[in-house]
């Protein structure tokens, strides 16, 4: 029939693994297994945890930012049952975003002169803020990576033009 039948307990083990990874990378105290927890209650727990442990919270947010855009994303953990941790090659490929980000940062001086650059940065900044605050994994940057490539070209061009003017 083509339907995949999971072994007994496999789904629960996968969900537990996913939830543990989520808990580590978000640094919050929300119990994701509590089916009676409302969004409002979960938000209160998240905020109160961040207020009670601000240093830990900021550290976790910086780790989330690193996971999104850093040159060497995390990968030592298994992402689910029967799923190996990320290999060094996969982590290196994911890390290609970092040099693109550095080149794109060179386009920032153009913000005041080019509405195009502003529009290209808006989705990147939005994705970064949302996923740094909530939950970060490299796949969340995929939709904005083409914009990052365009901004990297803008940034590289601006850098090369500024050097040409100095000569």
């Amino acid at each position: 029939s083509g339907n995949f039948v999971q072994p007994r307990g496999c789904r629960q083990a996968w969900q537990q693994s996913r939830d543990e990874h989520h808990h580590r990378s978000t640094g919050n105290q929300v119990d994701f297994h509590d089916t009676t927890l409302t969004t409002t209650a979960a938000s209160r727990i998240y905020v109160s945890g961040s207020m009670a442990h601000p240093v830990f919270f900021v550290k976790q947010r910086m780790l989330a930012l690193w996971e999104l855009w850093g040159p060497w994303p995390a990968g030592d953990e298994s992402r689910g049952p029967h799923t190996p941790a990320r290999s060094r090659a996969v982590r290196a490929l994911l890390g290609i975003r970092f040099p693109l980000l550095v080149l794109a940062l060179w386009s920032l001086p153009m913000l005041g002169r080019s509405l195009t650059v502003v529009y290209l940065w808006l989705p990147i900044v939005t994705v970064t803020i949302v996923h740094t605050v909530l939950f970060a994994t490299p796949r969340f940057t995929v939709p904005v990576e083409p914009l990052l490539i365009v901004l990297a070209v803008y940034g590289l061009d601006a850098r090369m033009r500024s050097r040409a003017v100095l000569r």
Side-chain angles (χ1 to χ4, degrees):
S1 69
N3 292 336
F4 176 75
V5 178
Q6 293 180 334
R8 176 171 275 169
C10 182
R11 181 170 180 78
Q12 290 84 6
W14 177 82
Q15 285 175 333
Q16 182 179 4
S17 172
R18 181 201 61 200
D19 292 344
E20 286 171 10
H21 172 70
H22 185 273
H23 181 74
R24 278 195 311 268
S25 58
T26 59
N28 62 49
Q29 305 301 316
V30 179
D31 180 4
F32 295 99
H33 299 289
D34 184 354
T35 57
T36 63
L37 197 61
T38 65
T39 302
T40 304
S43 298
R44 282 191 194 122
I45 293 168
Y46 184 82
V47 170
S48 66
S50 66
M51 300 297 268
H53 307 286
V55 173
F56 178 75
F57 180 77
V58 169
K59 178 183 170 189
Q60 289 303 107
R61 299 306 92 221
M62 293 300 102
L63 290 171
L65 183 61
W66 179 271
E67 182 69 10
L68 279 176
W69 295 111
W72 195 251
D76 300 332
E77 72 284 340
S78 175
R79 296 178 315 271
H82 314 294
T83 304
R86 289 185 193 122
S87 69
R88 289 180 188 258
V90 168
R91 291 169 75 187
L93 285 172
L94 288 170
I96 289 173
R97 319 166 288 194
F98 185 73
L100 289 173
L101 181 63
V102 170
L103 290 173
L105 289 173
W106 286 348
S107 74
L108 287 177
M110 299 172 62
L111 282 175
R113 296 181 305 224
S114 172
L115 204 53
T116 302
V117 172
V118 172
Y119 289 141
L120 290 169
W121 270 110
L122 281 175
I124 294 169
V125 170
T126 302
V127 164
T128 302
I129 290 170
V130 167
H131 292 297
T132 298
V133 171
L134 299 176
F135 177 70
T137 187
R139 74 170 183 253
F140 294 148
T141 64
V142 171
V144 296
E145 285 173 6
L147 305 176
L148 193 68
I149 292 168
V150 172
L151 284 167
V153 171
Y154 268 111
L156 189 57
D157 181 61
R159 183 75 164 198
M160 291 172 65
R161 286 176 192 244
S162 70
R163 286 188 177 217
V165 168
L166 294 175
R167 288 185 178 176

